[in-house]
Amino acid sequence: MREVDVLGVRVEMPTNQPIVLLRERDGGRYLPIWIGAAEAAAITYAQQGVVPPRPLTHDLMRDLLKVLGHELTEVRIVALKDSVFHAALIIDGKSEVSSRASDAIALALRTGAKVLVEPSILDEAAIVVSSEEDDEVERFKEFLDHVSAEDFEGEPGDAPDQPDQPDLPDRPD
């Protein structure tokens, strides 16, 4: 398993489809995962440290684990089937619960758990970023500093108000 960092969420244009971008910690590959708007907001809230007045689903899951005396030790992205990423929540280092990748990432961000990806998934779906494209990634990080979860809360098809964003390399087929 390879550890990855969660760089953040952006909206791919012109489809307005949110993606979460993961970066291989000890390598130069980036893994884009297309996700839903609600999951994009949940990930963005966690990265920005937003505390809602009432717990959202991922906050509730974190709180339940804590109250029951358990710990989310890591999240594993374990499969890519028909362009859908599958994940597993590893609880107390031994129990495994199936999860969507976006939910697993949102929960990992709330608990401080590691995010790991099967090397074969990185081989299949990750993007290798050249030095020129690395500038795009830096601009993407700058964009992430200015985006908020509210940017993902419009009606489907509505384009959120946002600063110029870098184009990511094309999605692998």
Side-chain angles (χ1 to χ4, degrees), residues 69-145:
H70 297 286
E71 176 186 9
L72 178 66
T73 47
E74 61 189 40
V75 162
R76 298 177 184 163
I77 299 175
V78 296
L80 176 58
K81 299 175 186 170
D82 299 322
S83 301
V84 176
F85 290 88
H86 298 255
L89 306 174
I90 307 302
I91 299 170
D92 298 331
K94 57 185 178 212
S95 299
E96 185 172 317
V97 177
S98 181
S99 173
R100 296 186 307 175
S102 56
D103 289 326
I105 291 166
L107 189 56
L109 290 171
R110 284 167 171 75
T111 62
K114 291 181 183 179
V115 179
L116 305 169
V117 178
E118 283 286 343
S120 61
I121 294 171
L122 289 168
D123 293 341
E124 180 180 345
I127 300 165
V128 177
V129 178
S130 69
S131 58
E132 301 90 46
E133 292 171 325
D134 204 34
D135 291 339
E136 293 289 322
V137 172
E138 289 305 317
R139 290 202 326 254
F140 175 62
K141 288 180 192 175
E142 186 176 314
F143 160 75
L144 293 175
D145 291 338

Side-chain angles (χ1 to χ4, degrees), residues 140-155:
F140 175 62
K141 288 180 192 175
E142 186 176 314
F143 160 75
L144 293 175
D145 291 338
H146 298 92
V147 71
S148 69
E150 289 79 23
D151 293 334
F152 301 104
E153 293 177 353
E155 291 294 318

